[in-house]
Amino acid sequence: MIKKSNAVLNLDGAWSLAYGQHGEIDPSLATIEAIEAADLAKIPAKVPGNFELDLERAGIVPEIFREQNIYKLYPYETMHQFYYRTFTYTADPALDDVVVFEGLDCFAQVYIDGKLVAESDNMFVPVTFDLPKLADGEHEMVVHFTPAVIKAREYEIDPYSYGMKFNADSLYIRKAASQYGWDIMPRAVSAGIWKHVYIDRLPKGSIKDIFLQTNAVDGSHAFIKMVYNCRIPAGDIREYTLKVTCTCGDSSFGWTIPLWHTGGNATTTIHDAKLWWPHNYGDPNLYDVVGELYHKGELIHTWSRKTGLRTVKLDRTSMTDKDGSGEFCFIVNGKKIFAMGTNWVPVDAYHSRDEERLPEIMPMVADLGCNIIRCWGGNVYENEYFYDYCDEHGVMVWQDFAMACAIYPQDDWFQAALDKEARAVIKLLRHHPAIVLWAGDNECDLSYRWGGENRDPNANALTRKVLPEAIRSLDYTRPYLPSSPYVDEEAFAGGAGGDGGGISEDHLWGPRDYFKGNFYKNTICHFASETGYHGCPSPESLAKYIRAEQLWPCLGQTDWLCHAACMIPAESEPYGYRIRLMWNQVETLFGKENKATADLATFSQASQISQAEAKKYFIERFRLTKWRRTGIIWWNLIDGWPQISDAIVDYYLDKKLAYWYIKNSQQPVCMMFDEPVDGMAALHAVNDTREDKTLSYKVLDDNGNVVQEGTCVVKSDMSVPVWHMPVGEEKKFYTILWNDGETEGMNHYFTNIIDIDYDYYVDCAKKAGLPLR
């Protein structure tokens, strides 16, 4: 994160808010006097914030996330908002004042003392402008928001475009797509000053940006290009000197550059470079980059941030054939990386709260042993805290641009809007070494085949022209994938279309039936960037948002359907299938006549067992076939509102059973069983570390008897079979224990895990030390 070295006037905190219905109010109100005189509702507001949260705090709407109260916000979608406050200003002739709105959601006009000074039409792009000349004293600021759903009505949907049932009004609007309702999020279209706002005070000359780009790595040698840009509005530029110093422990390098222009570049070779590595592959070394701008020898501005030195490539083929030929693998500093981690979706339906939730959530990523996060395209671009954490902990970031599950407009206006957004986002985030991939969107290539059509997604100018040109200009060494999954010309010609269809990187959802069924067992992709399975929240969490009379049974209950993200609480509506899906998954595992559906507490735990075993299988199937398969990004870590979902941690930070199973399955050194072949199940040892490991291991049956013990050597970064266990038709629980001389590990395996006895499973799991109730 950039550290500001000059005084900042913070405009966060208490504001006032007036609002009224579109068509019934004057949207041109620009002064506090006019707003307070108007016939508008008025309440206190908080910045950063969201309109709906202000309504909730004022008691205008009931607790939003309880029961079906989210639906009560639909009439507020067409409201205008006026946020306003005063601030005290004292000019300093030696400084230039710049107003920064880090995030305005979304169509906004900013007024200072009644004069229009800035406008916004994009939630994702910061609004920055020079403060007009002001006298010392008190001044007022007004921010007016036009409802996004009203602005959307100005655009016709052409035959080329496509949006899901509740999302057509999102297509032209640069807001998070999930705000319009998704299978994982409620419809919460929202508005407000959702990020920080302040006045930055800068000297007449200042540093705008310093970007270090690692062009090549050879052992401990790194070849670095540095690009800089400064803000020097007037005067002889030859009076200025830029000094850049980069330090990581005992490694340091830098430049001293007499300026001849406000921007330029320089190169150097570092012979003792401390490289940034992903988790399991080395230390995530970071350099402190300090820029100092001198005018006639006097230091006038200091700028700093952290960055890492590393190269990254994506070794990719279009397809994977039945024999496994093909590839999709990240290569960092010349070394192949096996990736495992989570998809990242909104951590809150109201994004002003994202920042405060991140410090509690991000440590879970490291605790689980993740070395990659995929930032899903239906979300916002995350807060700097998120990317800083990933940099510091060696967590690679796959960054989607903010488009998902749609065919977006192709006209000149939209292309220009996306280009502006992409360039702002790239410049803001490109210094993070954790980001290893820019991806054009989520499942927009697949959208070209939805609705019975078979159109070629390679005609999409947004992801084939606009985005790659922006990346080529601003960050050309980082890989780019036009879509996920990416249906390139070869895949389209071959009829591949995702969900097990032969693409090298795929989203594996399938029928969502038995998790070891044919779809999941026989998938051929090298890399799964989405796959998941439902898990019911705990009864304690459910009781926080579902009424007591609807808690059980769950099927057909409208509170449950609401919190399965149904925009209309009916099983016939989109996403209405999700509660019954979870029920069916429990019956598949434990049988229709089993006690698993007897009451809420039992059902919740049974569902969590189902989810935990499914995700354990998905991860282990990819790990034990390491280098035939190269990575898995499961869906997903945490909920962004109280819901029934695939997340392994609910909105209230309550960890489901899958959290602990995944933590076991993602140990750097791990032992796991493959499914039986010809009556024999292979026990594999997997080593993701940089060192060869010698393991002493035991396999115990359900009575604690040792059925196998031994010693094995597993080479660095490899998976090897070490023993084969005969398996018949028995349904039996086994515990695997190992020790590598430094750490002890534990995992488990259940043979023929379908239609099993609930009590037997729970008893065995508890004896093995797994955290069941």
Side-chain angles (χ1 to χ4, degrees), residues 602-673:
T602 307
F603 176 78
S604 171
Q605 178 157 275
S607 175
Q608 291 195 18
I609 294 169
S610 170
Q611 179 192 47
E613 287 286 354
K615 292 191 173 181
K616 166 182 161 63
Y617 172 69
F618 298 158
I619 293 166
E620 292 180 1
R621 177 150 183 77
F622 274 70
R623 288 196 74 187
L624 61 85
T625 55
K626 185 176 186 175
W627 301 124
R628 161 58 182 86
R629 294 178 173 86
T630 52
I632 179 167
I633 309 176
W634 37 268
W635 190 284
N636 65 303
L637 178 59
I638 193 158
D639 285 325
W641 82 303
Q643 66 176 346
I644 292 85
S645 73
D646 300 270
I648 65 171
V649 181
D650 73 21
Y651 179 75
Y652 304 105
L653 306 180
D654 185 30
K655 298 179 176 74
K656 301 177 189 177
L657 186 63
Y659 183 96
W660 307 106
Y661 282 30
I662 290 173
K663 184 174 179 177
N664 283 345
S665 294
Q666 293 194 164
Q667 295 171 86
V669 177
C670 192
M671 299 193 76
M672 57 194 69
F673 274 102

Side-chain angles (χ1 to χ4, degrees), residues 297-371:
E298 179 184 354
L299 178 64
I300 61 170
H301 186 228
T302 301
W303 176 105
S304 66
R305 71 158 46 116
K306 291 181 181 290
T307 194
L309 310 182
R310 59 99 188 93
T311 59
V312 58
K313 296 180 180 179
L314 177 61
D315 186 5
R316 173 194 171 274
T317 61
S318 173
M319 306 288 287
T320 302
D321 66 23
K322 296 293 184 181
D323 298 322
S325 298
E327 188 63 286
F328 190 100
C329 186
F330 290 102
I331 299 174
V332 175
N333 301 325
K335 183 170 181 58
K336 293 174 68 173
I337 305 296
F338 187 90
M340 55 185 180
T342 178
N343 276 271
W344 188 263
V345 303
V347 298
D348 203 289
Y350 295 105
H351 289 286
S352 66
R353 297 194 291 210
D354 290 356
E355 187 175 13
E356 66 191 54
R357 283 172 60 79
L358 287 174
E360 294 183 287
I361 297 169
M362 292 306 294
M364 299 179 193
V365 174
D367 184 51
L368 287 165
C370 297
N371 68 2

Side-chain angles (χ1 to χ4, degrees), residues 133-195:
K133 297 281 186 189
L134 298 178
D136 292 354
E138 188 171 84
H139 298 271
E140 62 180 51
M141 181 177 288
V142 172
V143 183
H144 165 244
F145 289 94
T146 300
V149 297
I150 296 298
K151 288 293 293 185
R153 296 176 192 178
E154 298 177 7
Y155 301 96
E156 292 186 0
I157 303 299
D158 57 47
Y160 185 88
S161 303
Y162 165 81
M164 295 185 292
K165 177 175 179 178
F166 298 103
N167 304 86
D169 54 347
S170 74
L171 292 180
Y172 265 102
I173 310 303
R174 297 311 297 149
K175 287 166 60 72
S178 57
Q179 291 182 303
Y180 291 81
W182 217 265
D183 60 0
I184 58 163
M185 296 299 291
R187 184 176 171 97
V189 177
S190 199
I193 305 170
W194 73 284
K195 283 190 170 184

Side-chain angles (χ1 to χ4, degrees), residues 25 204 223 290-291 296 334 353 378 532 580 613 657 677 687 697:
I25 62 101
K204 298 299 182 182
F223 306 92
V290 178
K296 296 182 178 179
R353 297 194 291 210
R580 192 167 295 276
E613 287 286 354
L657 186 63
V677 176
N687 179 9
Y697 69 92

Side-chain angles (χ1 to χ4, degrees), residues 1 5 94 112 125 174 196 223 273 284-285 290 452 522 542-543 631 688 752:
M1 183 179 293
S5 58
I112 294 179
V125 177
R174 297 311 297 149
H196 300 292
F223 306 92
N285 294 303
V290 178
N522 296 328
L542 289 166
D688 281 357
N752 300 301

Side-chain angles (χ1 to χ4, degrees), residues 181-449:
W182 217 265
D183 60 0
I184 58 163
M185 296 299 291
R187 184 176 171 97
V189 177
S190 199
I193 305 170
W194 73 284
K195 283 190 170 184
H196 300 292
V197 54
Y198 49 88
I199 298 174
D200 201 3
R201 314 205 80 173
L202 298 170
K204 298 299 182 182
S206 60
I207 300 168
K208 292 172 66 176
D209 186 54
I210 297 170
F211 173 49
L212 266 61
Q213 180 175 283
T214 309
N215 284 341
V217 164
D218 182 6
S220 63
H221 304 307
F223 306 92
I224 306 300
K225 178 180 180 180
M226 185 269 292
V227 182
Y228 63 88
N229 280 283
C230 299
R231 180 180 183 272
I232 302 173
D236 186 348
I237 201 162
R238 291 169 295 179
E239 296 175 350
Y240 293 85
T241 300
L242 175 66
K243 182 179 180 181
V244 179
T245 305
C246 309
T247 307
C248 178
D250 59 1
S251 173
S252 64
F253 62 95
W255 300 265
T256 299
I257 302 172
L259 296 188
W260 285 78
H261 182 54
T262 52
N265 60 72
T267 59
T268 191
T269 300
I270 307 161
H271 299 289
D272 60 349
K274 294 185 180 294
L275 301 178
W276 184 93
W277 288 96
H279 174 64
N280 293 334
Y281 289 87
D283 297 325
N285 294 303
L286 295 173
Y287 280 77
D288 291 304
V289 181
V290 178
E292 295 174 315
L293 186 64
Y294 293 85
H295 181 233
K296 296 182 178 179
E298 179 184 354
L299 178 64
I300 61 170
H301 186 228
T302 301
W303 176 105
S304 66
R305 71 158 46 116
K306 291 181 181 290
T307 194
L309 310 182
R310 59 99 188 93
T311 59
V312 58
K313 296 180 180 179
L314 177 61
D315 186 5
R316 173 194 171 274
T317 61
S318 173
M319 306 288 287
T320 302
D321 66 23
K322 296 293 184 181
D323 298 322
S325 298
E327 188 63 286
F328 190 100
C329 186
F330 290 102
I331 299 174
V332 175
N333 301 325
K335 183 170 181 58
K336 293 174 68 173
I337 305 296
F338 187 90
M340 55 185 180
T342 178
N343 276 271
W344 188 263
V345 303
V347 298
D348 203 289
Y350 295 105
H351 289 286
S352 66
R353 297 194 291 210
D354 290 356
E355 187 175 13
E356 66 191 54
R357 283 172 60 79
L358 287 174
E360 294 183 287
I361 297 169
M362 292 306 294
M364 299 179 193
V365 174
D367 184 51
L368 287 165
C370 297
N371 68 2
I372 193 167
I373 289 178
R374 175 176 176 255
C375 290
W376 172 68
N379 198 1
V380 296
Y381 304 97
E382 265 303 349
N383 184 276
E384 278 283 306
Y385 179 95
F386 169 90
Y387 298 101
D388 288 345
Y389 187 95
C390 292
D391 287 345
E392 293 162 6
H393 291 82
V395 180
M396 299 180 292
V397 175
W398 166 321
Q399 180 64 60
D400 283 1
F401 287 95
M403 295 184 287
C405 297
I407 300 174
Y408 286 84
Q410 304 285 302
D411 59 45
D412 291 344
W413 180 90
F414 194 87
Q415 289 190 41
L418 183 62
D419 179 69
K420 177 183 176 182
E421 173 189 318
R423 290 174 183 272
V425 168
I426 294 166
K427 290 172 72 174
L428 184 67
L429 299 180
R430 65 186 176 181
H431 65 279
H432 289 287
I435 298 178
V436 296
L437 180 71
W438 296 113
D441 59 53
N442 172 78
E443 295 187 358
C444 291
D445 275 16
L446 300 188
S447 300
Y448 279 73
R449 289 188 170 176

